[in-house]
Every structure is written in C-alpha cells, then in structure tokens.
Amino acid sequence: MNDTSFEKQAPRTRAKVLEAAALVVLMLVAGVAQAARPYRGGAVATAYPPASEAALKMLERGGNAVDAAVAAAFVAAVVGPYHSGVGGGGFALVHDAKTGTTRVLDFREVAPKAATRDMFVRDGKVVPGLSTDGVLSVAVPGAVAGYLELLEKHGTLPRAVVLAPAIEAAKKGLWVTPRYRALAEGRLECLRKDPEARRIFLTKNEQGEAIIPPVGHLVRQPDLARTLTAVSKSGAKGFYAGSVAKDIVDTVKAGGGIVTLEDLSSYKTRERQALEGSYRGHRILTMPPPSAGGVAVLQVLGAMEQLRPQGFTWREPDSVHLYVEALRRAYVDRAKYLGDPDFADVPTQRLISKGHIADLAGSIDPKKATSSLALLPQAAGTQQGSTLTDKPTTLTPEPERKNTTHISIVDKQGNAVALTTTVNYSFGSCVVAKGTGVLLNDEMDDFAAQPGVPNAYGLVTGEPNAVHPGKVPQSSMSPTLVFSKEDPKKVMLAVGSPGGSTIPTTVIQVISNVVDGGMDVVRAVNEGRVHHQYLPDELWVDRWGLEPATLSALEAKGHKVRRVEQWGDAEAVFVDPKTGLRFAASDPRNEGVSLGQD
Ligand code: DON
C-alpha cells in the first residue's frame, strides 16, 4: 500500500473525501438527477451576475436569505435599470424556516392622490403612450420602502453592509449588454425625450444624435450612487423626504405630472396574507391581489390536477389543450374580478375555491377550443357593470417581455425569499428625476386606462382595476413558494419571473415541469413555454415550446397558434426534499447566473 492510501491520508483530507463520497451517495439516492450544481449552503438565482454575487456575499458574511435578497434587489436596481429600480415597486414572499411561517410584503407603486379615473382618456379615447411614457405614467414608487422594510423586519445585517454592493456598482458603472441594447431599442424615442435619461442611458454619435451605446460601453450612475448613499445613511427618509423627494417631485411637476411630496412622504407598504393552494400534494403559497398572478397560478394548477389526475404532460396535445383552456378561463376571471382588494370587492377565496375551480374545469370542452369572445364577461360579477370590449386587441405585445426581474434565494437554514420587482415597461416611464439617478416607473399602465381597453401587454382589465387615488394597479407578478410533500413547512421551490401577462404561465410551467415532469430545476426553467391570456385569442408558443405535430393537433382543435421567439426569465431555487441539497437555475433566456455556497 502506498502513501496515498485512504488510511495514510491526513485526517482533514480523509474527512473531505468521506464528505464528497457521502455527497455522491446522497445524490444517487435523490429521486431526480439534477443537472445543476448542488449546494449544501444557500443558493441564489438572479438575472444579473453582480446581483447574484452581492447576494452570495451577504450569505458568506452570515446574513440570511432576506439580507441576500435585499442586497441583490438594490444591485438589480443599478445594473438592470430597464427591468427594475428604486423608482419602481414589487412583491416579496419571505419564509422563516424557524417558525415555518411565510410573510408577504406588497411594496408596489400606488396611484398619486391627484390621479383620476379618466386621466389617460381624451375625447372618450385612451391616448396612446400617455400611460407608458413620461411623467403622467409615474405611480408613487414603493421599492425603497419595501426593500428596507424587508431588511428591518427579517434581515440581520446592517443597512450599510447590504447597500454597499449597489452603491459600488453605481459608482463603477454597468457594462452595456445585448439585453440592454435590445430593451433600449424599443424605448429609444421615449429615452431621447427625457434629458436626464438621454444623458445617462444613451450616448452620442458623430452627428451629436442620441443613440444606444454599444455593448461594453460603461454606464456610470454617480447620481444614483449618491441617492443610494442617502438611503444607506438615513433609511427610507433618504428617498421619500429631503432633497431626493424634492427632485423627484420637481421633475415630475415640470413635465406636467401629478406626484407630490405628500404622495411620497405618505407612501406605505402593505402586508398581505399569502394565497394558499396545493398541487399534487405540495402546498403552494403565492401572491394574493392586487396581483392577479397568484390567483391564476392556483386556478390553473387546480384545474390541471382535476382534469389530469394521473399527471400532466406537455408532449401531448390533449393535455396542452386542457391547460390552454384553463388559462383562457383564469384570464377571464382576472379581467372580471381582479384589482386592488382595498378598493374593489375581489372575491379571492371564491376564485381559488375547489368548487369554482371545478366549475372552471368542467366548462372545458376536451375536444374543441372555446372562442374567447364566447366567454366575454357579462355585467354580473363586475362592479358598475362590465364595459369589457368584444373586440380582441390588434396590439402586438412586445415579444421578449423581460422588463421586470425576479430574485429567488434559499439560505442554509431553509429561509427563502421569492421577490419580483419592476419599473413596468423597459426603462419605466423613461423619466429620470434630475440629479438623483432615479428612473421612474410607468406602473400607471397596469390600471385599466379605460376598462376594456388593452394595456401594453395586451391585457384587458375591468372596472375593479380602474384608476383611483392611492390604489395599487393590478399586477401579474407571481413570486411563488412550493413546499415539500413530506414537510409542508419546508420550501422545495422558490420561483418567479418577469413577462407581464405571461408571468403566471411561466411560473405554472416551471412548477409543472418539476412536479409532473420530474425535471431538474435547470431543465424545468429552460423548457419551452406556452401561453394564452384570453385576449387576444391566441395560443403563444416559444421557440422551444412544442413540436410541429403537437401544434397541428392543437390547430385542429381550433386554437390560433402564434409563434413568439421567447419571453420570460424564470429564476428558481430547488431544495431536494430527500437530501436538503439546493439547486439553482437562472433562465438562459436572459443574462443572469445562479450561485451558491458549498
Ligand atoms: O406588475 C405587472 O404585472 C407588470 N408591471 C410587470 C411588467 C413586466 O413583467 C414586464 N416584463 N415583461
């Protein structure tokens, strides 16, 4: 026996070999072969390498999932200005492993106090662009209040530590990526109109014309670094009061907008009750109204479970047909009933009840597609009568749909965060508050500018989502936690995505891919996608979605198939219930990365 024999190895090396062997055995006994790298500590998935690195840094410093998520969210605000930012808002689910409880924070933007129902309507018609571009589209931002509240209530590290990576990133600058260019392309005219946005996010060509900077160009944001430093020092006051607030209001006012100092100083986040359901024995917690996403997630999963008790397969036209029909109906409910529950009477519990889901599933013809027009909501069930149009939109929704971002984190202790945050459209309203670097959202577009008229995502919403001062616009964002079958208090999957109206379907498909398909989390996230949202009456399939024969079979059932290149950006962390190992996946459709602790 030579010196390299097992017995002769130093005890530390031996321990390491044993540990590695144990890991291999653990992985072999685990039911699902995971393509992703296993982590024994915390794991994170975000849409930007610097945000994932910041999150990992917090975990390495002994911080928990919330410290990591907040650090990542602030970095995302800097390096992904086209997706989210301190001028935006969002939702988070936070699971505390010790108590087994999950809290939900709604820090979405609200309509300014001077907002009116018809503020985007002139001569009886919605003015194109008014709710998406420029100061009138800006709702009162909630991101800073939300991130800080998460940190104060559930985090462990000091504010200065958690904000440091974002401040550093703003000073150092962000490298323009292909994604930056693609999203700026769609917003070029809008960005050119705002002097600060033009100065920060565009560059000049030889003729002095503002153009999109090339890949690799460095976008520095010293003003934003100062704003973040003020937040780091003074907390929410550094944003909602003092000079930053004044600069925001001055910029908005100068352009004819309506956000006031009082709107900012009185902004409050809202704690909500998680929406609870289950799928094939797994407990699911997701986002309640004002998100419409969670309701759709539970309704469609519920219908799939009922219609396909033996399991679901995306390879089979009959299964896909049932899924699409369930979606169609879920989006009808969304159009009819969903809005801010503090302002509208939203029958949430009824919508996710077993009885209602059974009715929804029971109304599906397994052989034939139902025409969306046949499902037009009637006055019953809507408030003040429905004005939903029977004309499908002719609007062509933006194809890529990645302008929002999601962060999924599970730490070593099993605490988990699913946080989705946005400035709505790419680069929000394209308005940067002078001297602050704060890019403001255009979340007002998520209201029904006129009930029945589609918004930027082609979504038609109704009376419960009409504009009202202080009201939260209806959202699709669906941060979701799926729990282990063996222990319904242990998180198995944290997931979410951008994609406007396609967010719930991306979340549903990742969950189904894991639970029904037995896929590892990387594959579950990578798989092709299918979407329907009732109006327009089209079945969308992405590039990797379905085989030609499946599409033909669906067309034969009466579906209008539309091929869309791709959409969404699922960010997910999976915890193997058998081994406790974590696996993370960042959607290859975007530029993110998943990381973890060994
Ligand atoms: O809250 C919502 O539903 C939208 N503001 C989200 C926007 C979005 O996901 C854009 N991504 N394509």
Side-chain angles (χ1 to χ4, degrees):
M1 217 178 252
N2 61 37
D3 281 348
T4 56
S5 69
F6 189 74
E7 282 74 17
K8 295 262 170 71
Q9 284 169 8
R12 262 194 82 205
T13 318
R14 206 158 56 211
K16 280 209 162 149
V17 172
L18 279 173
E19 215 174 32
L23 189 59
V24 170
V25 172
L26 277 175
M27 289 171 68
L28 288 175
V29 295
V32 178
Q34 291 284 337
R37 187 180 157 187
Y39 296 109
R40 278 170 287 182
V44 315
T46 85
Y48 324 90
S52 292
E53 282 159 17
L56 189 63
K57 202 165 171 185
M58 296 303 126
L59 296 178
E60 301 272 300
R61 281 188 76 129
N64 65 16
V66 176
D67 297 310
V70 174
F74 274 114
V75 172
V78 174
V79 302
Y82 34 85
H83 292 153
S84 72
V86 290
F91 301 137
L93 263 63
V94 174
H95 181 74
D96 180 342
K98 218 186 220 166
T99 59
T101 54
T102 305
R103 309 275 290 271
V104 178
L105 193 66
D106 166 4
F107 51 93
R108 186 157 162 84
E109 304 90 322
V110 298
K113 290 192 168 56
T116 57
R117 186 189 154 87
D118 294 327
M119 64 188 278
F120 301 111
V121 179
R122 304 280 183 273
D123 301 326
K125 283 210 171 109
V126 175
V127 182
L130 207 53
S131 60
T132 51
D133 308 355
V135 289
L136 219 51
S137 67
V138 179
V140 188
V144 172
Y147 301 163
L148 293 185
E149 187 169 334
L150 289 172
L151 187 63
E152 275 150 31
K153 287 204 173 139
H154 311 289
T156 60
L157 296 175
R159 196 164 61 219
V161 169
V162 173
L163 265 108
I167 296 171
E168 167 112 8
K171 282 186 189 156
K172 256 176 56 189
L174 71 98
W175 299 103
V176 169
T177 64
R179 178 73 50 226
Y180 183 114
R181 284 186 54 81
L183 293 177
E185 185 77 49
R187 299 295 270 164
L188 186 53
E189 285 319 310
C190 183
L191 287 167
R192 277 179 173 154
K193 279 187 197 138
D194 184 77
E196 285 285 271
R198 192 172 59 218
R199 180 175 68 79
I200 299 169
F201 299 119
L202 300 178
T203 187
K204 282 186 185 153
N205 65 11
E206 279 163 14
Q207 291 75 41
E209 201 187 1
I211 55 161
I212 303 167
V215 168
H217 175 97
L218 192 64
V219 174
R220 287 218 170 82
Q221 301 181 78
D223 293 346
L224 184 56
R226 259 195 314 280
T227 298
L228 290 169
T229 306
V231 171
S232 172
K233 287 200 176 120
S234 321
K237 272 198 246 110
F239 184 89
Y240 292 94
S243 69
V244 173
K246 188 174 172 309
D247 289 338
I248 292 175
V249 171
D250 286 350
T251 300
V252 169
K253 248 197 194 151
I258 57 173
V259 176
T260 62
L261 278 176
E262 209 214 321
D263 282 321
L264 289 171
S265 63
S266 60
Y267 180 86
K268 284 198 174 52
T269 62
R270 297 145 301 269
E271 220 174 295
R272 309 268 183 199
Q273 186 81 37
L275 217 56
E276 179 157 359
S278 72
Y279 188 54
R280 304 199 196 278
H282 293 275
R283 178 174 173 243
I284 296 186
L285 294 180
T286 186
M287 192 66 209
S291 172
V295 170
V297 167
L298 295 185
Q299 285 184 327
V300 174
L301 287 176
M304 278 158 64
E305 190 176 83
Q306 205 165 309
L307 293 164
R308 290 269 140 165
Q310 75 281 21
F312 188 87
T313 162
W314 294 92
R315 297 258 166 261
E316 194 195 43
D318 284 351
S319 278
V320 180
H321 167 75
L322 295 172
Y323 161 74
V324 169
E325 290 303 312
L327 274 179
R328 190 195 302 276
R329 285 153 178 81
Y331 276 75
V332 170
D333 273 353
R334 171 185 180 142
K336 246 168 135 173
Y337 300 112
L338 271 284
D340 182 346
D342 296 337
F343 288 79
D345 190 12
V346 184
T348 310
Q349 287 312 320
R350 185 176 74 75
L351 294 177
I352 60 164
S353 67
K354 278 212 157 64
H356 182 71
I357 292 174
D359 288 347
L360 189 150
S363 74
I364 293 173
D365 181 338
K367 297 218 159 53
K368 240 179 49 225
T370 308
S371 152
S372 285
L373 295 188
L375 295 176
L376 269 184
Q378 302 303 312
T382 59
Q383 286 161 23
Q384 300 166 28
S386 172
T387 51
L388 288 175
T389 176
D390 62 349
K391 292 181 193 65
T393 172
T394 50
L395 187 140
T396 304
E398 185 200 10
E400 286 214 337
R401 297 188 173 225
K402 297 191 180 83
N403 31 306
T404 284
T405 201
H406 181 83
I407 294 166
S408 285
I409 303 188
V410 179
D411 68 19
K412 194 173 180 143
Q413 286 71 35
N415 302 306
V417 177
L419 183 155
T420 314
T421 185
T422 189
V423 284
N424 190 29
Y425 222 40
S426 312
F427 292 92
S429 62
C430 308
V431 176
V432 175
K434 194 153 194 299
T436 65
V438 175
L439 179 60
L440 296 161
N441 69 82
D442 61 346
E443 218 67 60
M444 291 301 284
D445 189 63
D446 277 345
F447 282 116
Q450 203 174 29
V453 175
N455 73 354
Y457 302 102
L459 268 177
V460 178
T461 59
E463 204 51 50
N465 192 35
V467 182
H468 194 281
K471 189 173 175 181
V472 182
Q474 190 199 93
S475 175
S476 301
M477 294 188 289
S478 319
T480 299
L481 298 174
V482 180
F483 291 80
S484 138
K485 246 188 206 172
E486 292 77 9
D487 184 346
K489 289 198 166 162
K490 276 205 173 130
V491 170
M492 180 184 88
L493 180 71
V495 62
S497 175
S501 53
T502 65
I503 292 173
T505 54
T506 297
V507 168
I508 292 165
Q509 283 162 67
V510 173
I511 294 172
S512 167
N513 289 342
V514 169
V515 173
D516 296 304
M519 290 180 199
D520 66 81
V521 71
V522 169
R523 185 152 176 208
V525 160
N526 293 7
E527 276 294 289
R529 296 192 180 132
V530 183
H531 175 75
H532 199 295
Q533 60 183 47
Y534 147 65
L535 290 175
D537 191 346
E538 295 170 343
L539 190 169
W540 293 7
V541 183
D542 86 355
R543 186 174 216 204
W544 306 278
L546 300 169
E547 287 74 17
T550 315
L551 292 180
S552 304
L554 286 163
E555 276 168 341
K557 283 181 186 290
H559 294 284
K560 289 170 216 137
V561 173
R562 178 171 163 202
R563 288 161 203 261
V564 176
E565 174 66 19
Q566 54 168 282
W567 63 84
D569 166 6
E571 301 292 327
V573 175
F574 175 81
V575 182
D576 189 321
K578 292 201 182 89
T579 62
L581 292 170
R582 280 99 165 104
F583 301 84
S586 180
D587 203 321
R589 293 165 182 83
N590 215 343
E591 297 170 336
V593 66
S594 60
L595 296 172
Q597 296 174 292
D598 287 324

